[in-house]
């Protein structure tokens, strides 16, 4: 069966510090991968998605970037965090083909102080 | 562009009563619709989806959803609510563009009381 991991689970970082959040998927190949941010426990905002290694699409302009160095690894980064980057970050995957749902990881709670 | 509306921020029901969480959608082409549930500080869990076929879709934990094309709705239902159903519920519609992307509603907080 497939599983999706995210780490760290929680993170407290000062303003201006760098960020690296990691997401890995097991038990599948060639997945689509997604990064979302959820602010104030409500709506989800799609930040990035990837359909293959090195292929990243950005949905909104922001202080963040994403990379996919391996088929089942998706990384969310920032060079300098802002207060507004605080939130709950969710990674998700879906099979490449077909009309499939997305499967979500456990999330990372980021607090920027 | 596609969109999903969840008109109720919060729904309160008594345990044992039926529950409905509302969702309406707007999308060009065939609608592919999903419901997810989120417990505090957790990721989203998939409940059910409508792709084609029967308008009544059955999913996990006793939930079902009714697709209504004329009303562009996809309401989530359960015949008898449990306190453990209390959570945040999201409706989503598939983006007709590439990447199997989903557009989510703003979520509805369900509170089931004894």
């Amino acid at each position: 069966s497939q599983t999706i991991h995210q780490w760290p689970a929680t993170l407290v970082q000062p303003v201006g510090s760098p960020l690296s959040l990691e997401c890995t998927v097991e038990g599948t190949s060639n997945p689509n991968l997604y990064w979302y941010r959820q602010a104030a426990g409500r709506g989800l905002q799609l930040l990035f998605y990837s359909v293959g290694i090195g292929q990243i699409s950005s949905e909104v302009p922001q202080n963040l970037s994403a990379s996919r160095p391996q088929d089942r690894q998706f990384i969310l980064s920032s060079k300098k965090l802002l207060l507004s980057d605080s939130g709950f970050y969710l990674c998700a995957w879906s099979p490449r083909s077909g009309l499939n749902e997305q499967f979500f990881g456990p999330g990372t709670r980021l607090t920027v102080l | 562009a596609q969109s999903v509306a969840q008109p109720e921020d919060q729904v309160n029901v008594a345990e044992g009563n039926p529950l409905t969480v509302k969702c309406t959608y707007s999308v060009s082409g065939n609608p592919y619709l999903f419901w997810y549930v989120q417990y505090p500080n957790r990721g989203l869990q998939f409940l059910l989806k409508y792709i084609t076929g029967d308008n009544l879709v059955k999913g996990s934990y006793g939930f079902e959803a009714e697709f209504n094309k004329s009303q562009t709705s996809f309401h989530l239902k359960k015949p008898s609510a449990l306190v453990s159903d209390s959570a945040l519920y999201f409706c989503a519609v598939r983006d007709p563009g590439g990447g199997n992307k989903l557009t989510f509603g703003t979520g509805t907080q369900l509170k089931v009381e004894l």
Side-chain angles (χ1 to χ4, degrees):
Chain A
S1 63
Q2 302 87 10
T3 55
I4 179 169
H5 304 279
Q6 287 187 245
W7 64 89
T10 60
L11 190 60
V12 180
Q13 291 285 93
V15 169
S17 64
L19 173 73
S20 181
L21 303 181
E22 189 163 345
C23 171
T24 59
V25 182
E26 296 177 354
T28 188
S29 298
N30 304 314
N32 289 341
L33 295 171
Y34 311 85
W35 276 113
Y36 291 87
R37 177 167 57 204
Q38 185 178 28
R42 277 296 185 170
L44 281 78
Q45 180 184 39
L46 179 62
L47 302 176
F48 302 95
Y49 76 96
S50 171
V51 298
I53 296 174
Q55 300 179 63
I56 309 294
S57 296
S58 175
E59 292 295 294
V60 292
Q62 58 207 316
N63 184 42
L64 302 168
S65 62
S67 61
R68 185 170 177 173
Q70 300 180 44
D71 181 46
R72 292 169 290 174
Q73 184 185 31
F74 206 22
I75 297 172
L76 184 68
S77 303
S78 174
K79 292 182 179 178
K80 288 185 178 182
L81 283 169
L82 306 172
L83 286 174
S84 57
D85 291 325
S86 294
F88 193 48
Y89 288 83
L90 291 159
C91 181
W93 76 273
S94 74
R96 179 71 56 83
S97 60
L99 302 170
N100 292 292
E101 59 271 28
Q102 294 179 13
F103 300 93
F104 284 78
T108 295
R109 173 76 59 191
L110 172 66
T111 303
V112 183
L113 301 175
Chain B
Q2 68 285 348
S3 65
V4 170
Q6 293 183 243
E8 302 155 315
D9 281 347
Q10 181 161 323
V11 171
N12 297 322
V13 297
E15 188 175 48
N17 283 0
L19 69 87
T20 298
V21 182
K22 296 179 180 178
C23 170
T24 58
Y25 66 90
S26 174
V27 66
S28 58
N30 293 324
Y32 303 117
L33 300 159
F34 304 81
W35 274 102
Y36 286 83
V37 60
Q38 185 182 31
Y39 295 95
N41 296 309
R42 305 288 293 276
L44 276 68
Q45 296 178 33
F46 169 73
L47 282 178
L48 51 80
K49 65 182 176 183
Y50 173 82
I51 302 298
T52 187
D54 289 342
N55 290 341
L56 186 63
V57 179
K58 294 189 182 299
S60 306
Y61 313 119
F63 284 94
E64 56 191 27
E66 187 170 8
F67 171 70
N68 187 316
K69 188 172 183 178
S70 63
Q71 297 185 10
T72 62
S73 66
F74 189 54
H75 300 332
L76 182 70
K77 300 182 179 184
K78 188 174 182 182
S80 179
L82 299 172
V83 172
S84 58
D85 293 330
S86 299
L88 186 58
Y89 290 81
F90 289 97
C91 182
V93 63
R94 187 176 185 266
D95 187 332
N100 202 30
K101 294 183 290 181
L102 298 178
T103 296
F104 286 85
T106 52
T108 298
Q109 185 70 47
L110 173 66
K111 186 173 182 181
V112 182
E113 300 166 311
L114 290 170

